[in-house]
Amino acid sequence: MSATVLTEIVAPGVIQITMNRPERKNALDRASYVGLIEAFAAAEADPQSRVIVITGAGGCFTSGNDIRDFAAAAGDGARIAMDFLGAISTATKPIVAAVEGFAVGIGTTMLLHCDLAYAGAGATFRMPFVTLGLSPEGASSYLLPLVAGSKRAAELLMLGEAFGPQAAQEAGLVNAVVAEGAALDAALANAKALAALPPQSVALTKLLLKRGQAASVAETLVVEAKHFGERLRSDEAQAAFAAFLKR
Ligand code: COA
C-alpha cells in the first residue's frame, strides 16, 4: 500500500481510506492515485468489508490533482485519475466521505460518486477547472446539474470560485454540515449503521440508485477525459500551472 494512502479497518465491516500527503494538502500525485485504486479494489474484493469511508489526513480532504503532475501533462498524466474515477464511480459497496479543510477539483467531484458525505464547518470546496484553463472532470458536467440544478452547476463549474459547506449541502454535494473536526465521526457513525444492515440489500439499493445514471456517467467520464487531456497541454492551462508553482 502506498504511504500516501492509508487503509485501516476501523469498525466491523468498515474500511477507512485516508489520503495522506498532508505536506501537500493531500494533493493526489500518481502514487496516491495508484494507492487509492488499490485500496478501493481491495475493499471491493474483501467480503468482510461492507462500507468504505474516505477522508484526508491533517484536517484536509484533498487539494486535488497534484499541479506538478498536471504541469508535466505528458503521456498518461490524466489516465491514472481516470482509472480512479472509474473505480469510485463503479464501486458496489457504499462510500461515505468525511470532508474537513480543502476539497478542491477532484476532491469535490469525487463526492458526486460517494453515497453519503459529511463536511466540517470549516470545509472549503472548489472546482477551479476553468480558472486553471481546464474543463470539468469526474462526470461533474453531467452529475452536478442533476444534483445542484443547471444554474448552480454553471456557477460552480464556470466561475470556479470557492464555496463553503452550507453551499455544498445546498448543491447536494454533502448530506450534512457538522462541527469543524467532527466530519469523520459523522461519517463513521453512518458507515457503522450501514455496515450493520443486511449487506445484499444495501448493495442492491446502491445498484438501483446508480442504475439510471450509470451509462451516462461512464460515457461522460470518457468524453470529459478526452477534452481534459487536450486542455492539460493547452497554453492556458500550462500558464496557470506555472503561475501556481511560481508562487
Ligand atoms: N498540487 C501540488 N502542490 C500542492 C497542491 C496541489 N494541488 N495543493 C497544495 N500544494 C502544495 C503547495 O504548493 C504548498 O507547497 P510548499 O509548502 O512547498 O509551498 C503546500 O502544498 C501547502 O499548500 P499551501 O498553498 O501553502 O496551503 P494553503 O492552505 O495556503 O492553500 C489550497 C491550500 C488548497 C487552497 C492551495 O494550496 C491551492 O489552491 N492548491 C491548488 C489546488 C488546485 O488547483 N488543485 C487542482 C484542482 S483541478
Side-chain angles (χ1 to χ4, degrees):
M1 193 52 65
S2 149
T4 55
V5 175
L6 308 175
T7 62
E8 190 184 356
I9 309 278
V10 287
V14 180
I15 184 157
Q16 181 178 318
I17 300 175
T18 305
M19 297 173 279
N20 181 44
R21 210 178 162 221
E23 73 285 1
R24 288 275 180 267
K25 303 280 175 188
N26 304 324
L28 299 174
D29 60 359
R30 196 187 161 79
S32 305
Y33 282 122
V34 170
L36 284 171
I37 291 164
E38 288 177 358
F40 272 86
E44 281 282 309
D46 178 3
Q48 301 302 317
S49 104
R50 293 186 172 187
V51 182
I52 301 164
V53 170
I54 183 157
T55 192
C60 182
F61 193 60
T62 169
S63 60
N65 206 104
D66 191 298
I67 302 254
R68 274 175 195 78
D69 286 4
F70 268 171
D76 73 343
R79 177 77 237 168
I80 192 79
M82 179 70 184
D83 290 346
F84 165 64
L85 288 165
I88 197 169
S89 65
T90 57
T92 63
K93 295 181 180 174
I95 305 170
V96 186
V99 181
E100 301 282 355
F102 293 103
V104 185
I106 197 167
T108 295
T109 61
M110 75 167 80
L111 300 175
L112 293 163
H113 304 284
C114 296
D115 302 284
L116 302 174
Y118 300 90
T124 301
F125 301 77
R126 193 173 177 202
M127 292 176 282
F129 304 119
V130 172
T131 325
L132 289 170
L134 296 168
S135 51
E137 45 80 311
S140 56
S141 62
Y142 170 69
L143 288 172
L144 196 62
L146 281 185
V147 298
S150 57
K151 291 289 182 294
R152 187 77 183 125
E155 187 175 42
L156 299 180
L157 281 171
M158 293 175 83
L159 291 174
E161 291 169 352
F163 54 100
Q166 299 294 350
Q169 186 179 14
E170 284 159 22
L173 287 163
V174 301
N175 290 83
V177 182
V178 296
E180 187 165 3
L184 185 56
D185 283 348
L188 288 175
N190 286 286
K192 286 177 198 168
L194 274 175
L197 290 166
Q200 289 172 16
S201 186
V202 171
L204 179 59
T205 301
K206 171 157 181 161
L207 178 78
L208 291 170
L209 281 167
K210 300 272 179 190
R211 188 188 65 89
Q213 304 165 354
S216 296
V217 166
E219 193 255 358
T220 305
L221 284 172
V222 172
V223 172
E224 286 177 345
K226 178 180 174 295
H227 291 294
F228 199 91
E230 290 166 3
R231 293 306 305 164
L232 278 178
R233 292 182 287 277
S234 70
D235 291 345
E236 288 176 350
Q238 287 295 324
F241 304 153
F244 176 79
L245 294 172
K246 256 200 282 170
R247 290 179 312 161

